[in-house]
Amino acid sequence: MTLATSRRGFLKSAAAGAAVLVIGATAKGAMAAASSEDAMLTPFVKITSDGQVIAIVKHFEKGQGPATGLTSLIAEELGVTMEQIDYDFAPSNPQVYNNLFFGPFQGTGGSTAMANSFQQYRTAGAAAREMLIAAAATEWGVDTASLDIVEGQVTGDGKSAPLGDFVAAAASQTPPESPRLRDPSEWKIIGNEKTRRKDSPIKVNGQAQFAMDVHLPNQMVAMIARPPQRGGTVASFDDSAAKEVKGFIMAQALPQNNGVVVYAESTWAAIQSREALSVDWDLSAAETRSSAEIREEIIAALNAEPTYNVNAADRAAIKAAVDGAAQVVEETFYFPLLAHAPMEPLNCTIEQTAEGDIVLHDGCQMPTGPHMAYQQIFGLPAEKIHIKTMLAGGSFGRRATPDADYQVEAALAFVMTDRSRPVKLVWTREDDIRGGYYRPATGHKVRVGLNADGTIAAWDHQIAGQSIAKGTFFEQMTVRDGVDATTVEGVTENPYAIPGMAIGLTDTEKATSVLWWRSVGHTHTAYVMETMMDRVARAAGRDPVEFRLSLLEGGNEEQEREAGVLKLVAEKAGWGKVAEGRAQGIAVHKSFGSYVAEVVEVSGSPEDGVVIEKVTAAVDCGIAVNPDVIRAQIEGGVGYGIGHAMRDQITLSGGEVEQTNFPDYEPLRISDIKAIEVHIMPSALPPSGVGEPGTPPAAPALANAIAALGEGAVHVAELPMAEAGVSFA
């Protein structure tokens, strides 16, 4: 374990005068501990003298489970039950709590929470265990090898005492460099089907504190009137009618002139005051294109030579091989803009302390972004900026923007006041759906040549769409040789052994702010790859499962794991054994290090209404740390992928977003899918992501099932399905 650290952001003792053992890592990566009187270095686990164990969770909790997952790793290695451990979110400090996959950047995303923290948190828990045991062994005069910690008790050699009895002595010891990690045969929590989420009880009984729940004394609520089209600015505004609203405080244009901030005593007063504003917008430089025009630009790009030869293939030879094949299967796909639409709209609260420090209360997905922005906005050093991470009611990528958009809005709104009152910025759902960030509009054009024996001769694949990373802070991380990896992922590294594959890419102009959306590029690349696999298989007269397996026979680990989930889901779903009037569709995809295969079983017809009877999923995500969380995430990913594919899109008219709220951007309803069944592949490999991998195969499996319904079947190449002649019962 190698981590860079600093002395900033140390945790204070939970109780004055109490001995506290804090375990983390030094600047050289060595484990370090400190008592309450000493500096507390990079803590991941904190233990008070009364035996209270607290896991310091560096990934924020938006429903995906790190508060449970990382806590369970500490509990397992330390030797306490899940009832004997609590959690707290880490402060903003990228030198200490960085995501090990993101470099010197603290953040949650890409389904990396468990994957990058698995060894780190186990090691911290194991170090704490060994230090407490050493302290007990010294006091009792016994060999450390005879002791262990079981359910919070240091026990062995005929003796037993609560671990809190040894916190003070343990804190004075030199931590072990390489503590012994418990063997999987010793695990009681990791992989346990009965381990339940730590945050469920407080969410059920109302004790959970989300960012929207923050209400500081004397706070103001701020809302922003934003231009109807991207690129618009404020020409002038009149707030005379707003002044008549009870609770209105004031209104001011943002420094960049891209909106007007309304301040009020309550959320409702802010909403009413904003509605009463009269704003004259300068739209001379604003976006004016419609969705139809955006689609035309993307299709035109697909029909031209691509800008980038993504995999350096001999395109001319591959095109010739396709043209000369015994049979050609081709299709053009189009994917519209999509909103994230989390249940909790964006919000955050900002205040200034008596010492002049700035504190942000936020369901903060990427603390380093707003932390850096606040240093510039307030002209303060890093240690004077504090981010208190709250629970978030969903995100799906929306809370992780390259420009920290809503946090910067809050800071600017606060700067324009005298800073004597906290400011809570609130977005309505209409704000987010009409003026937020979207999954990019993207198109694919695929031509596959088949040999006379039904094998693939060549595969020509072109992609065109709006780059997420180009022109942003993240360009240096995801763009290589002009190619944004988030646009082509899922095609470039698919495990299939496809001969003669050419991949081309053309970037098109962004019509809106675009952003990663749950599973990022895999949302569209999996759809194309897996619906084309079905079409090619059927053109070759072969079973879709058998055809896929024939392309996964190379013997490498990726192919074996993908074939494994494919076989498992086919078995569990009873592939090919459906009742009359029903059909099945299958899809399999690797994303974020995990392999997920799904079978969707449907009945009805596209004309009279398709009924989704059941979705069966199989997942290989390495070691299943928390099976209950994994199943929930796969279920959620399935619903998210299918719900948006069924009927959702963001459309523009004259550059203006037409959708406003759930009535015209309809979320998945519980009645839309009758049943979901998730099967987890046993594995001893390191854990990988589960927050996003359930989404990519969902929509193509549904599309393949609809295409298999028989007479009147529809091959959906343009989403949403409701716009392609498919209705749902």
Side-chain angles (χ1 to χ4, degrees), residues 446-465:
V446 184
R447 301 180 71 242
V448 181
L450 285 175
N451 296 314
D453 63 357
T455 58
I456 295 175
W459 185 300
D460 185 22
H461 197 133
Q462 289 207 51
I463 305 171

Side-chain angles (χ1 to χ4, degrees), residues 364-388:
C364 198
Q365 186 166 352
M366 295 282 184
T368 301
H371 203 140
M372 293 170 63
Y374 280 22
Q375 288 177 245
Q376 297 179 28
I377 292 170
F378 293 101
L380 293 173
E383 59 267 23
K384 299 284 282 183
I385 306 294
H386 312 279
I387 298 179
K388 181 174 175 56

Side-chain angles (χ1 to χ4, degrees), residues 577-597:
K577 301 174 184 177
V578 293
E580 186 177 350
R582 294 192 178 191
Q584 292 175 316
I586 197 165
V588 60
H589 193 73
K590 176 198 174 186
S591 62
F592 308 97
S594 294
Y595 303 77
V596 179

